[in-house]
Amino acid sequence: MARRWSEGHSTSILCVGVSPGPESLLASGSESGEVTVWSQEGNVAGRLTLPGGEDSTSVVFSPAAPSQLYVSHGDSVSVLDPRNLKGPVEEFQGAGEEEINALALNDTGSVLAVADDSGAVRVLELPGGKVCRTLRRHTNICSSVAFRPHRPNNLVSAGLDMQVMLWGLQKTRPLWTLNLQDVTEEEDDHQQRPGQLFNPPLVHCVSVASCGNVVACAAGDGRVHLMRIGSGSKLEQQGAVKAHSQGASQAHFVSFLSHPHWLVSGGNDGQVALWDLSKHPLVTREAKAQTKVAPRRKRKSKAKRKDPGHHDATKVDTEKEEAEEEVAAGAEEVTEKKAGPKLSISHGDKVNWLCPAVLRGEASVVVADQSSCLTVYPLAQL
């Protein structure tokens, strides 16, 4: 049975995070700078409204120090002690060039990645918050970032330019770039019926499986796009799951179930779904025998940037870009035989955020929507 957690916020909840370990706490952020810490039972353990009143857009616990909670609001990041929410322990003002959309910490808690509206990804050293890298290749809002587990210097970013990029933090250009618009156009050329419209695959959320080799992106076309990273950090394969009837807003791998390829997704259709990707040809070892090589396509015009004034700052070397495209274009494309989710939940409201968590020993998913409450669904059917 679903449980509803209330009394923690007065505004719409935008993000949720869970701390590592069996005694884990949850944190949620909402509009107007509210941050709430919850016990596993759903009781409010602390509340705080950050100065400035800007929306709390991302909450991330340090994997190395559960007593450190990072919250983005406006272009700043506040470091909080979740056990004592009196106020920020530390502030990284101007951590983003514009409003921050997402935060990610690497395995060791030594690096914080900050994705913002300008399309830039800033890399901050911890402790201290010193900016050591600024990654500029996205031509529109960068909406999500995720580090590869076991590879603290590998970062995946994705955005509303429909591009997914893998970065090695030693360099300021991506190891490869995949343009999802090209991928979906290729599929839609064969599947589109007269008069049928498709939403562009603007990427809203990116997640990496605990094995470190499989990436999932929730996109505006309703699909969860999948990528497999091979040896040498090369893009080996790409595929997709047709997950939602409207835009997919969330996709997160679940690390605590029977294998690392369980994935939970949520969408604007109000559905929450749990997928077993272990049988998807992109994941299985025999995938190569079932693949076809994606044709190489020249990239078409991208979505316009939110702020064209940053055009000069995001100019890139054409030859390098084309070389990266060649790498991505050579990735094998794999398709899945139609298989539905293992669990489908009609939540009924647009999903803002999903957070898989083990609560009181029970595998669960915490759902944030347009309301000021959280809903917890058990995954006990598995």
Side-chain angles (χ1 to χ4, degrees):
M1 290 291 292
R3 302 192 303 277
R4 199 162 170 83
W5 294 2
S6 56
E7 311 298 327
H9 290 274
S10 63
T11 56
S12 179
I13 299 174
L14 304 176
C15 53
V16 187
V18 62
S19 65
E23 304 299 320
S24 57
L25 296 169
L26 275 88
S28 52
S30 71
E31 295 173 351
S32 305
E34 294 181 356
V35 180
T36 300
V37 173
W38 308 81
S39 71
Q40 293 196 17
E41 292 73 33
N43 299 317
V44 175
R47 289 182 65 181
L48 174 69
T49 299
L50 293 167
E54 293 161 309
D55 295 349
S56 301
T57 53
S58 186
V59 289
V60 183
F61 286 90
S62 170
S67 61
Q68 293 176 348
L69 172 65
Y70 295 83
V71 182
S72 59
H73 52 107
D75 64 0
S76 300
V77 176
S78 292
V79 187
L80 308 176
D81 182 347
R83 304 161 303 182
N84 184 22
L85 281 185
K86 297 285 187 193
V89 177
E90 202 171 0
E91 284 271 11
F92 305 148
Q93 294 186 348
E97 296 183 357
E98 294 182 14
E99 183 177 2
I100 297 168
N101 299 306
L103 302 175
L105 282 159
N106 66 356
D107 280 345
T108 61
S110 61
V111 175
L112 175 70
V114 175
D116 70 28
D117 276 2
S118 76
V121 178
R122 279 186 167 174
V123 180
L124 281 60
E125 293 176 342
L126 298 176
K130 179 185 176 184
V131 177
C132 61
R133 281 276 188 278
T134 301
L135 312 175
R136 303 183 196 277
R137 279 300 174 93
H138 286 286
T139 58
N140 203 320
I141 291 169
C142 185
S143 53
S144 189
V145 281
F147 281 94
R148 291 179 69 192
H150 320 301
R151 295 164 184 82
N153 289 316
N154 267 200
L155 177 73
V156 182
S157 66
L160 303 194
D161 56 358
M162 300 173 277
Q163 312 234 33
V164 183
M165 302 181 188
L166 177 67
W167 304 83
L169 295 187
Q170 296 86 350
K171 298 182 179 179
T172 55
R173 62 184 181 90
L175 299 172
W176 52 257
T177 299
L178 181 66
N179 187 331
L180 295 186
Q181 186 178 29
D182 289 351
V183 172
T184 53
E185 280 178 356
E186 207 43 58
E187 292 178 4
D188 295 344
D189 283 348
H190 299 98
Q191 297 175 7
Q192 188 167 1
R193 295 187 294 272
Q196 188 175 3
L197 297 175
F198 288 98
N199 291 321
L202 312 177
V203 185
H204 300 292
C205 180
V206 65
S207 179
V208 186
S210 59
C211 63
N213 297 327
V214 181
V215 178
C217 297
D221 59 359
R223 293 178 174 101
V224 174
H225 292 266
L226 303 172
M227 284 128 263
R228 182 175 181 85
I229 303 172
S231 60
S233 296
K234 292 180 180 177
L235 176 60
E236 211 171 58
Q237 297 164 338
Q238 57 86 10
V241 174
K242 293 179 181 177
H244 295 274
S245 61
Q246 297 179 37
S249 56
Q250 289 281 287
H252 295 271
F253 282 101
V254 185
S255 62
F256 47 77
L257 294 179
S258 56
H259 57 71
H261 300 119
W262 288 100
L263 179 102
V264 64
S265 68
N268 296 345
D269 57 0
Q271 297 292 311
V272 176
L274 181 70
W275 306 86
D276 180 357
L277 299 180
S278 63
K279 302 293 191 293
H280 191 287
L282 180 136
V283 173
T284 56
R285 290 184 178 226
E286 62 271 23
K288 288 206 171 198
Q290 305 170 35
T291 59
K292 59 180 179 177
V293 177
R296 297 184 176 185
R297 293 169 57 97
K298 291 293 182 184
R299 272 203 303 207
K300 297 193 177 181
S301 60
K302 306 179 188 73
K304 289 183 180 177
R305 290 182 46 80
K306 181 178 178 180
D307 180 3
H310 287 270
H311 180 263
D312 290 340
T314 58
K315 278 186 178 176
V316 294
D317 184 278
T318 305
E319 290 182 4
K320 287 180 180 177
E321 190 172 52
E322 286 178 353
E324 287 156 14
E325 287 176 20
E326 290 286 309
V327 171
E332 293 167 325
E333 180 186 354
V334 296
T335 54
E336 183 187 22
K337 294 174 186 175
K338 289 194 176 178
K342 294 297 180 183
L343 180 64
S344 186
I345 300 165
S346 293
H347 179 68
D349 199 358
K350 177 183 174 183
V351 174
N352 280 346
W353 204 277
L354 296 177
C355 180
V358 178
L359 302 175
R360 298 184 297 180
E362 184 176 54
S364 308
V365 59
V366 182
V367 181
D369 54 31
Q370 307 295 290
S371 74
S372 59
C373 301
L374 293 173
T375 307
V376 179
Y377 293 102
L379 303 178
Q381 291 91 328
L382 302 173

